[in-house]
């Protein structure tokens, strides 16, 4: 078994682990994976399939309210390539299969992102399992947030692609970054996209500081060209979905921003902290799937271990992970901390999000990465 190539071993291990979790549904197609918001995705997909079968794009859904622009809503997943492939499978079975495959893809992305940071296989498995089965991912199955799972599955691949684009030479990295970013956008989870945007801004700032420190001006110009290439690939790939979505967004009542006071009830609190270490807590939490950053007691211990020993040997990857966790806490706490109002002024797109606890994604992702660092240490 150990003589097999690493990509095959990691694929089989993570696939088998998730199959154990999903076997009951995958082996019994009459069962469906459902959640509180699942029903809307089921009927959107049903309508999309019927329109495509009739040779029409599902531009307008007459069965929702007095009519609804379905195609303009990226959550409809009309142009999302994996959703296109899953349309070859019966609808009742396709959605559970889609969730299973996207969780596996999230784990694979985290595994290879961790390996790219020169961590060993044990560390990579720790990070991959902690992320793909962590609270920021799997609790949204209970919520029925299909688009969230489809989008977050591309998160490690996007981070990996843009990191390679900035710090390594080659056009292929830029193209890879552009394609994975496009897949994330077409996956229909705009809140996850905003989280990743913040992570990429932090990545860019760290890269720029490194360039200035080394005075590598030629590298700056080369990277600018690769960034442009990656951006062109992204925009070219998402244009069929982007244009109607922008027109739709201009009609939104939230376009002018959500008042700061309206975000207070949707912010992280100290009561949410136990959910990082324990799977079930003894008190009620409002919207538990939205504010759940569970990585497990062992994950917390390893992450803390990685942080403590990071001060002795700081690497770019450790610095990025800790920065993402810290910023996730600062933004996730919402208007309780002055940082959030400052961040809304610096990055206006934050004012469109009603739930600051969305940015627990940064904490969960960073903590999963730090758990791998601690495992190796």
């Amino acid at each position: 078994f150990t003589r097999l190539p690493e990509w095959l071993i990691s694929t089989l291990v993570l696939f088998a682990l998730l199959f154990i979790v999903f076997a009951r549904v995958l082996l019994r197609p009459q069962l469906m994976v459902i959640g509180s918001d699942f029903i809307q995705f089921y009927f959107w997909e049903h309508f999309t399939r019927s329109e495509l079968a009739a040779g029409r794009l599902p531009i307008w859904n007459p069965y929702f309210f007095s009519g609804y622009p379905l195609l303009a809503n990226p959550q409809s997943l009309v142009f999302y390539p994996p959703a296109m492939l899953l349309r070859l499978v019966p609808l009742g079975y396709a959605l559970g299969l889609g969730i299973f495959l996207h969780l596996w893809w999230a784990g694979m992305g985290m595994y290879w992102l961790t390996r790219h940071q020169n961590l060993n296989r044990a560390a990579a498995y720790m990070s991959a399992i902690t992320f793909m089965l962590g609270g920021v991912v799997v609790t949204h199955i209970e919520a029925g947030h299909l688009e969230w799972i489809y989008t977050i599955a591309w998160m490690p691949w996007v981070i990996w692609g843009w990191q390679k684009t900035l710090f390594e030479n080659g056009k292929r990295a830029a193209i890879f970054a552009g394609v994975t970013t496009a897949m994330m956008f077409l996956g229909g989870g705009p809140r996850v996209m905003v989280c990743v945007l913040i992570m990429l801004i932090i990545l860019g700032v760290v890269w720029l500081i490194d360039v200035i420190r080394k005075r590598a001006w030629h590298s700056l110009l080369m990277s600018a060209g690769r960034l442009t290439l990656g951006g062109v690939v992204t925009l070219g790939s998402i244009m069929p979905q982007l244009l109607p979505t922008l027109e739709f967004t201009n009609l939104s009542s939230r376009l002018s921003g959500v008042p700061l006071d309206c975000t207070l009830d949707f912010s992280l609190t100290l009561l949410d902290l136990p959910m990082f270490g324990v799977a079930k807590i003894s008190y009620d939490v409002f919207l538990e799937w939205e504010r759940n950053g569970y990585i497990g007691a062992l994950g917390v211990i390893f992450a803390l271990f990685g942080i403590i020993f990071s001060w002795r040997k700081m690497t770019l990857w450790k610095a990025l992970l800790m920065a993402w966790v810290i910023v996730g806490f600062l933004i996730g706490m919402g208007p309780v901390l002055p940082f959030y109002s400052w961040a809304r002024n610096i990055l206006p797109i934050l004012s469109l999000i009603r739930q600051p606890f969305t940015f627990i994604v940064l904490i969960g992702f960073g903590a999963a990465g730090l758990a791998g660092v601690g495992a190796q240490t």
Side-chain angles (χ1 to χ4, degrees):
F1 185 72
T2 56
R3 294 179 181 178
L4 295 174
E6 184 181 354
W7 67 267
L8 182 57
I9 295 176
S10 60
T11 297
L12 294 175
V13 168
L14 296 177
F15 192 92
L17 178 62
L18 277 172
F19 185 82
I20 293 172
V21 178
F22 280 85
R24 182 168 177 265
V25 172
L26 295 175
L27 298 179
R28 299 172 67 186
Q30 68 273 23
L31 298 180
M32 286 196 298
V33 178
I34 62 173
S36 58
D37 289 341
F38 172 84
I39 200 70
Q40 67 178 3
F41 292 101
Y42 181 89
F43 285 109
W44 284 348
E45 181 62 19
H46 184 279
F47 179 73
T48 296
R49 290 183 176 209
S50 64
E51 289 293 283
L52 293 176
R56 299 185 297 263
L57 280 175
I59 297 174
W60 186 262
N61 181 1
Y63 305 109
F64 196 75
F65 294 132
S66 297
Y68 183 81
L70 184 73
L71 182 67
N73 181 0
Q75 291 181 332
S76 63
L77 305 171
V78 175
F79 295 116
Y80 183 51
M84 295 178 182
L85 293 175
L86 288 169
R87 288 180 186 127
L88 301 175
V89 180
L91 176 56
Y93 189 71
L95 299 181
L97 179 62
I99 292 173
F100 164 74
L101 291 175
H102 279 80
L103 261 63
W104 165 76
W105 190 243
M108 288 295 296
M110 196 66 175
Y111 179 90
W112 287 108
L113 173 61
T114 303
R115 289 289 282 150
H116 186 68
Q117 316 306 322
N118 296 321
L119 272 70
N120 60 31
R121 295 189 186 189
Y125 280 119
M126 184 70 188
S127 292
I129 295 171
T130 302
F131 178 64
M132 74 180 186
L133 293 178
V136 296
V137 180
V138 296
T139 53
H140 288 269
I141 300 176
E142 181 186 1
H145 294 164
L146 190 70
E147 90 293 355
W148 180 284
I149 296 168
Y150 281 14
T151 304
I152 205 170
W154 292 94
M155 191 174 176
W157 300 100
V158 170
I159 299 298
W160 186 20
W162 288 109
Q163 185 184 10
K164 286 171 65 70
T165 300
L166 286 174
F167 290 93
E168 299 177 18
N169 295 323
K171 296 179 181 178
R172 287 189 297 178
I175 295 173
F176 176 80
V179 170
T180 53
T181 304
M183 295 293 281
M184 174 173 268
F185 177 84
L186 295 173
R191 288 189 294 154
V192 179
M193 288 290 296
V194 175
C195 293
V196 173
L197 174 62
I198 293 174
M199 295 174 70
L200 292 177
I201 290 174
I202 295 172
L203 175 64
V205 169
V206 170
W207 165 78
L208 189 58
I209 291 174
D210 184 63
V211 168
I212 295 174
R213 181 176 61 85
K214 295 179 179 178
R215 302 186 180 223
W217 310 124
H218 177 71
S219 175
L220 179 63
L221 293 175
M222 295 294 292
S223 296
R226 293 195 298 271
L227 288 172
T228 301
L229 175 60
V232 169
V233 171
T234 300
L235 288 175
S237 302
I238 68 175
M239 199 60 68
Q241 181 66 67
L242 179 63
L243 293 178
T245 298
L246 288 177
E247 184 178 358
F248 189 31
T249 303
N250 288 331
L251 303 176
S252 172
S253 60
R254 198 183 290 187
L255 189 62
S256 58
V258 177
L260 192 61
D261 292 344
C262 293
T263 64
L264 186 60
D265 291 336
F266 300 92
S267 302
L268 292 175
T269 67
L270 294 179
L271 289 177
D272 297 314
L273 295 182
M275 298 187 80
F276 286 95
V278 293
K280 186 175 179 61
I281 53 179
S282 58
Y283 50 84
D284 292 332
V285 175
F286 178 52
L287 294 178
E288 64 275 13
W289 48 74
E290 298 275 12
R291 57 205 313 147
N292 191 316
Y294 175 73
I295 64 169
L298 190 61
V300 170
I301 292 171
F302 275 126
L304 292 174
F305 202 70
I307 291 174
I308 293 171
F309 283 88
S310 290
W311 302 116
R312 298 183 178 182
K313 185 180 179 182
M314 183 62 66
T315 64
L316 171 66
W317 181 235
K318 296 174 187 176
L320 284 171
L321 292 171
M322 289 191 290
W324 290 332
V325 170
I326 292 170
V327 172
F329 270 114
L330 293 176
I331 300 180
M333 298 291 285
V336 174
L337 300 177
F339 180 86
Y340 185 69
S341 58
W342 300 338
R344 279 167 58 112
N345 294 329
I346 297 172
L347 200 62
I349 196 173
L350 292 179
S351 65
L352 303 179
I353 297 180
R354 183 181 58 184
Q355 308 99 327
F357 50 45
T358 294
F359 300 99
I360 201 171
V361 171
L362 278 72
I363 306 173
F365 188 92
L370 286 170
V373 173
Q376 173 151 311
T377 304

